[in-house]
């Protein structure tokens, strides 16, 4: 795994999550996402924060890797938080009425909860999928889950392969972008000053070689697959057949308890209610 880019990378290991069936992990990730959006009060969000600690403990992944995985989203997280702080109207103002703008306590709480939701959403799904699942296993899991669609002539295998390749190439393209920008800066390019239009124009020398590099990598990958006689999913066999184990059953009960806890806390727990 690259030391400077974590998002989309697989972390080799033999932890509890690493040994789960990828089919179940995909289902668990979808249920986990739904549960995140069901949370409505502070106590439910506290359970969400606790869940990410539990997933991290089950994965055996270093905490630094999880932090690095959030770096590409820092701007989006900060922008979302600022918008909620200044635009959310509540009942508890924090600034004098004479000021031309106002900040409410409810807006700060909402912003904090949104930031927590986004961070847990990205980190939790990454832990259950990309960090602990190899691209091949992820492809097999998606393909087998979508297998019923093959009966109506939908190219399930090709679709699964395309999704996995796209996910795998995210960190590669991020690294390529960083290299191109570093090379352009060494030639005198400036990406941090000037107006918005000037900054957009400065990115053109980055985007052109990036697209060329992406197409070149795609062509090399297609050539390599053809040289290995890859013809799609028709008649294709697997070296490792997927099997469910007791670990999947244990994780199933953990996820069910988590969803039940979110629902019960929404109904019975007092406290501030999240409005978005």
């Amino acid at each position: 795994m690259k030391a400077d880019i974590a998002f989309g990378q697989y972390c080799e290991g033999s932890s509890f999550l690493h040994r789960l069936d990828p089919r179940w992990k995909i289902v668990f990730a979808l249920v986990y996402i739904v549960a995140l959006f069901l949370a409505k009060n502070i106590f439910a969000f506290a359970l969400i924060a606790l869940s990410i600690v539990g997933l991290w403990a089950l994965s055996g992944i270093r905490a630094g890797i999880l932090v690095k995985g959030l770096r590409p989203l820092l701007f989006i997280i900060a922008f979302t938080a600022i918008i909620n702080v200044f635009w959310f109207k509540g009942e508890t103002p924090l600034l004098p009425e004479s000021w031309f703008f106002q900040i409410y306590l409810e807006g700060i709480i909402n912003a904090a909860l949104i930031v927590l939701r986004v961070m847990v959403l990205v980190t939790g799904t990454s832990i259950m999928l990309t960090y602990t699942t190899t691209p091949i296993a992820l492809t097999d899991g998606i393909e087998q889950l979508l297998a019923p669609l093959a009966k109506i002539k939908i190219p399930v295998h090709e679709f699964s392969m395309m999704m996995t390749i796209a996910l795998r190439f995210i960190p590669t393209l991020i690294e390529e972008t960083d290299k191109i920008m570093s090379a352009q800066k060494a030639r005198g390019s400036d990406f941090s000053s000037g107006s918005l239009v000037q900054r957009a124009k400065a990115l053109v020398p980055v985007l052109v070689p990036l697209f060329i590099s992406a197409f070149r990598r795609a062509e090399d990958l297609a050539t390599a697959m053809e040289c290995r006689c890859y013809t799609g999913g028709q008649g294709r066999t697997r070296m490792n057949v997927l099997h469910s184990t007791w670990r999947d059953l244990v994780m199933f009960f953990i996820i069910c308890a988590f969803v039940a806890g979110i629902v019960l806390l929404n109904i019975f727990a007092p406290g501030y209610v999240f409005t978005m």
Side-chain angles (χ1 to χ4, degrees):
M1 175 175 167
K2 298 176 180 63
D4 54 342
I5 300 174
F7 184 76
Q9 292 280 351
Y10 169 68
C11 302
E12 188 174 354
S14 58
S15 68
F16 181 87
L17 288 183
H18 280 84
R19 299 180 184 181
L20 292 180
D21 189 319
R23 297 169 297 179
W24 281 106
K25 281 199 276 191
I26 295 171
V27 174
F28 294 153
L30 294 176
V31 174
Y32 187 75
I33 292 172
V34 173
L36 293 182
F37 285 93
L38 288 177
K40 294 297 181 181
N41 61 39
I42 292 179
F43 293 96
F45 275 88
L47 180 59
I48 287 176
L50 185 62
S51 71
I52 206 67
V53 176
L55 288 175
W56 170 63
L58 292 175
S59 67
I61 299 173
R62 292 186 292 108
I65 294 176
L66 304 183
V67 174
K68 289 179 182 178
L70 292 173
R71 285 182 181 176
L73 299 174
L74 287 180
F75 174 78
I76 297 176
I77 293 173
F79 179 77
T80 305
I82 293 173
I83 289 296
N84 277 270
V85 167
F86 286 97
W87 290 93
F88 188 86
K89 304 297 182 182
E91 300 178 354
T92 312
L94 300 178
L95 298 176
E97 295 182 359
S98 59
W99 287 39
F100 66 93
F101 67 91
Q102 186 58 263
I103 296 177
Y104 296 88
L105 176 62
E106 291 81 3
I108 295 178
I109 296 176
N110 258 38
L113 295 182
I114 287 178
V115 168
L116 176 62
R117 175 178 281 173
V118 173
M119 293 174 63
V120 171
L121 175 64
V122 174
T123 305
T125 52
S126 297
I127 289 175
M128 281 192 279
L129 294 179
T130 56
Y131 288 159
T132 60
T133 313
T134 63
I136 295 177
L138 196 59
T139 301
D140 290 342
I142 296 174
E143 182 180 357
Q144 293 193 26
L145 287 175
L146 300 179
L149 298 179
K151 296 181 179 180
I152 55 176
K153 306 301 181 181
I154 294 180
V156 173
H157 176 80
E158 288 75 8
F159 176 73
S160 304
M161 179 66 72
M162 178 183 64
M163 288 182 58
T164 306
I165 291 175
L167 187 65
R168 171 59 187 85
F169 270 84
I170 289 176
T172 303
L173 292 179
I174 293 176
E175 183 183 26
E176 191 73 22
T177 303
D178 184 63
K179 289 181 178 179
I180 295 173
M181 292 185 68
S182 298
Q184 294 294 344
K185 288 179 180 178
R187 293 176 174 84
S189 297
D190 186 7
F191 301 103
S192 58
S193 63
S195 63
L196 185 62
V197 176
Q198 290 174 332
R199 292 184 183 183
K201 289 182 178 179
L203 289 176
V204 174
V206 175
L207 296 177
V208 173
L210 180 62
F211 275 104
I212 294 175
S213 175
F215 285 121
R216 185 178 300 156
R217 288 180 182 274
E219 184 178 5
D220 292 342
L221 178 61
T223 302
M225 294 172 72
E226 288 179 359
C227 291
R228 290 168 172 81
C229 301
Y230 176 77
T231 57
Q234 187 68 30
R236 187 176 179 85
T237 59
R238 299 177 179 83
M239 183 174 66
N240 298 316
V241 180
L242 300 178
H243 294 288
S244 298
T245 64
W246 62 269
R247 295 182 182 84
D248 303 297
L249 184 61
V250 171
M251 193 64 186
F252 172 78
F253 286 118
I254 293 175
I255 292 293
C256 288
F258 173 71
V259 175
I262 293 291
V263 174
L264 292 176
L265 288 173
N266 285 337
I267 297 174
F268 298 108
Y272 176 78
V273 176
F274 184 60
T275 57
M276 290 185 63

mmCIF file of all heavy atoms in Angstrom, residues 126-144:
data_model
loop_
_atom_site.group_PDB
_atom_site.id
_atom_site.type_symbol
_atom_site.label_atom_id
_atom_site.label_comp_id
_atom_site.label_asym_id
_atom_site.label_seq_id
_atom_site.Cartn_x
_atom_site.Cartn_y
_atom_site.Cartn_z
ATOM 1 N N SER A 126 -15.175 2.327 3.957
ATOM 2 C CA SER A 126 -13.819 1.995 3.502
ATOM 3 C C SER A 126 -13.247 0.832 4.304
ATOM 4 O O SER A 126 -12.595 -0.053 3.744
ATOM 5 C CB SER A 126 -12.906 3.217 3.618
ATOM 6 O OG SER A 126 -13.338 4.261 2.779
ATOM 7 N N ILE A 127 -13.479 0.830 5.615
ATOM 8 C CA ILE A 127 -12.977 -0.260 6.449
ATOM 9 C C ILE A 127 -13.618 -1.579 6.040
ATOM 10 O O ILE A 127 -12.940 -2.608 5.906
ATOM 11 C CB ILE A 127 -13.256 0.028 7.938
ATOM 12 C CG1 ILE A 127 -12.370 1.162 8.444
ATOM 13 C CG2 ILE A 127 -12.991 -1.224 8.785
ATOM 14 C CD1 ILE A 127 -12.678 1.581 9.867
ATOM 15 N N MET A 128 -14.918 -1.579 5.817
ATOM 16 C CA MET A 128 -15.613 -2.831 5.500
ATOM 17 C C MET A 128 -15.355 -3.307 4.078
ATOM 18 O O MET A 128 -15.454 -4.499 3.800
ATOM 19 C CB MET A 128 -17.120 -2.659 5.736
ATOM 20 C CG MET A 128 -17.516 -2.745 7.190
ATOM 21 S SD MET A 128 -19.298 -2.883 7.447
ATOM 22 C CE MET A 128 -19.791 -1.188 7.284
ATOM 23 N N LEU A 129 -15.014 -2.385 3.177
ATOM 24 C CA LEU A 129 -14.856 -2.779 1.778
ATOM 25 C C LEU A 129 -13.404 -2.675 1.306
ATOM 26 O O LEU A 129 -12.674 -3.661 1.306
ATOM 27 C CB LEU A 129 -15.778 -1.927 0.900
ATOM 28 C CG LEU A 129 -17.279 -2.138 1.123
ATOM 29 C CD1 LEU A 129 -18.088 -1.214 0.218
ATOM 30 C CD2 LEU A 129 -17.670 -3.576 0.890
ATOM 31 N N THR A 130 -12.955 -1.492 0.928
ATOM 32 C CA THR A 130 -11.668 -1.393 0.229
ATOM 33 C C THR A 130 -10.475 -1.733 1.100
ATOM 34 O O THR A 130 -9.516 -2.359 0.638
ATOM 35 C CB THR A 130 -11.494 0.022 -0.348
ATOM 36 O OG1 THR A 130 -11.611 0.981 0.713
ATOM 37 C CG2 THR A 130 -12.561 0.311 -1.377
ATOM 38 N N TYR A 131 -10.466 -1.299 2.382
ATOM 39 C CA TYR A 131 -9.300 -1.530 3.226
ATOM 40 C C TYR A 131 -9.112 -3.007 3.565
ATOM 41 O O TYR A 131 -7.987 -3.453 3.795
ATOM 42 C CB TYR A 131 -9.424 -0.743 4.527
ATOM 43 C CG TYR A 131 -9.243 0.752 4.370
ATOM 44 C CD1 TYR A 131 -9.732 1.638 5.323
ATOM 45 C CD2 TYR A 131 -8.572 1.285 3.276
ATOM 46 C CE1 TYR A 131 -9.574 3.012 5.183
ATOM 47 C CE2 TYR A 131 -8.420 2.646 3.120
ATOM 48 C CZ TYR A 131 -8.915 3.508 4.079
ATOM 49 O OH TYR A 131 -8.761 4.857 3.943
ATOM 50 N N THR A 132 -10.190 -3.760 3.660
ATOM 51 C CA THR A 132 -10.103 -5.148 4.119
ATOM 52 C C THR A 132 -10.522 -6.161 3.056
ATOM 53 O O THR A 132 -10.656 -7.342 3.374
ATOM 54 C CB THR A 132 -10.975 -5.348 5.374
ATOM 55 O OG1 THR A 132 -12.337 -5.033 5.062
ATOM 56 C CG2 THR A 132 -10.504 -4.456 6.508
ATOM 57 N N THR A 133 -10.727 -5.725 1.825
ATOM 58 C CA THR A 133 -11.164 -6.629 0.768
ATOM 59 C C THR A 133 -10.320 -6.406 -0.473
ATOM 60 O O THR A 133 -10.193 -5.268 -0.940
ATOM 61 C CB THR A 133 -12.647 -6.404 0.420
ATOM 62 O OG1 THR A 133 -13.415 -6.334 1.616
ATOM 63 C CG2 THR A 133 -13.177 -7.546 -0.439
ATOM 64 N N THR A 134 -9.767 -7.455 -1.021
ATOM 65 C CA THR A 134 -8.971 -7.334 -2.234
ATOM 66 C C THR A 134 -9.885 -7.013 -3.416
ATOM 67 O O THR A 134 -11.080 -7.342 -3.401
ATOM 68 C CB THR A 134 -8.215 -8.637 -2.532
ATOM 69 O OG1 THR A 134 -9.164 -9.682 -2.763
ATOM 70 C CG2 THR A 134 -7.305 -9.017 -1.372
ATOM 71 N N PRO A 135 -9.363 -6.357 -4.461
ATOM 72 C CA PRO A 135 -10.193 -6.057 -5.632
ATOM 73 C C PRO A 135 -10.814 -7.299 -6.258
ATOM 74 O O PRO A 135 -11.963 -7.267 -6.721
ATOM 75 C CB PRO A 135 -9.206 -5.379 -6.592
ATOM 76 C CG PRO A 135 -8.157 -4.794 -5.704
ATOM 77 C CD PRO A 135 -8.023 -5.744 -4.558
ATOM 78 N N ILE A 136 -10.078 -8.406 -6.283
ATOM 79 C CA ILE A 136 -10.615 -9.647 -6.871
ATOM 80 C C ILE A 136 -11.796 -10.168 -6.047
ATOM 81 O O ILE A 136 -12.842 -10.556 -6.590
ATOM 82 C CB ILE A 136 -9.512 -10.715 -6.964
ATOM 83 C CG1 ILE A 136 -8.422 -10.263 -7.937
ATOM 84 C CG2 ILE A 136 -10.086 -12.053 -7.392
ATOM 85 C CD1 ILE A 136 -7.254 -11.213 -8.036
ATOM 86 N N ALA A 137 -11.632 -10.173 -4.714
ATOM 87 C CA ALA A 137 -12.720 -10.635 -3.852
ATOM 88 C C ALA A 137 -13.924 -9.718 -3.960
ATOM 89 O O ALA A 137 -15.080 -10.180 -3.948
ATOM 90 C CB ALA A 137 -12.238 -10.714 -2.405
ATOM 91 N N LEU A 138 -13.684 -8.416 -4.068
ATOM 92 C CA LEU A 138 -14.781 -7.466 -4.203
ATOM 93 C C LEU A 138 -15.528 -7.688 -5.517
ATOM 94 O O LEU A 138 -16.770 -7.631 -5.557
ATOM 95 C CB LEU A 138 -14.237 -6.040 -4.135
ATOM 96 C CG LEU A 138 -15.238 -4.916 -3.893
ATOM 97 C CD1 LEU A 138 -15.981 -5.125 -2.583
ATOM 98 C CD2 LEU A 138 -14.538 -3.567 -3.898
ATOM 99 N N THR A 139 -14.798 -7.969 -6.588
ATOM 100 C CA THR A 139 -15.420 -8.257 -7.872
ATOM 101 C C THR A 139 -16.282 -9.511 -7.785
ATOM 102 O O THR A 139 -17.426 -9.533 -8.263
ATOM 103 C CB THR A 139 -14.352 -8.438 -8.960
ATOM 104 O OG1 THR A 139 -13.561 -7.253 -9.054
ATOM 105 C CG2 THR A 139 -14.983 -8.720 -10.306
ATOM 106 N N ASP A 140 -15.742 -10.567 -7.175
ATOM 107 C CA ASP A 140 -16.505 -11.810 -7.028
ATOM 108 C C ASP A 140 -17.763 -11.592 -6.189
ATOM 109 O O ASP A 140 -18.833 -12.133 -6.490
ATOM 110 C CB ASP A 140 -15.629 -12.887 -6.382
ATOM 111 C CG ASP A 140 -14.529 -13.372 -7.308
ATOM 112 O OD1 ASP A 140 -14.642 -13.144 -8.534
ATOM 113 O OD2 ASP A 140 -13.544 -13.964 -6.820
ATOM 114 N N GLY A 141 -17.634 -10.797 -5.123
ATOM 115 C CA GLY A 141 -18.786 -10.547 -4.273
ATOM 116 C C GLY A 141 -19.885 -9.797 -4.996
ATOM 117 O O GLY A 141 -21.069 -10.166 -4.911
ATOM 118 N N ILE A 142 -19.526 -8.730 -5.716
ATOM 119 C CA ILE A 142 -20.518 -7.961 -6.467
ATOM 120 C C ILE A 142 -21.166 -8.827 -7.540
ATOM 121 O O ILE A 142 -22.388 -8.797 -7.740
ATOM 122 C CB ILE A 142 -19.864 -6.720 -7.097
ATOM 123 C CG1 ILE A 142 -19.356 -5.765 -6.020
ATOM 124 C CG2 ILE A 142 -20.846 -5.996 -8.008
ATOM 125 C CD1 ILE A 142 -18.570 -4.583 -6.551
ATOM 126 N N GLU A 143 -20.343 -9.612 -8.233
ATOM 127 C CA GLU A 143 -20.867 -10.454 -9.310
ATOM 128 C C GLU A 143 -21.870 -11.477 -8.791
ATOM 129 O O GLU A 143 -22.930 -11.688 -9.400
ATOM 130 C CB GLU A 143 -19.711 -11.160 -10.018
ATOM 131 C CG GLU A 143 -20.157 -12.028 -11.186
ATOM 132 C CD GLU A 143 -18.998 -12.708 -11.876
ATOM 133 O OE1 GLU A 143 -17.844 -12.450 -11.479
ATOM 134 O OE2 GLU A 143 -19.250 -13.490 -12.811
ATOM 135 N N GLN A 144 -21.561 -12.114 -7.675
ATOM 136 C CA GLN A 144 -22.469 -13.129 -7.149
ATOM 137 C C GLN A 144 -23.731 -12.521 -6.566
ATOM 138 O O GLN A 144 -24.803 -13.125 -6.625
ATOM 139 C CB GLN A 144 -21.741 -13.974 -6.111
ATOM 140 C CG GLN A 144 -20.629 -14.829 -6.712
ATOM 141 C CD GLN A 144 -20.116 -15.883 -5.750
ATOM 142 O OE1 GLN A 144 -20.816 -16.329 -4.853
ATOM 143 N NE2 GLN A 144 -18.866 -16.291 -5.941
#
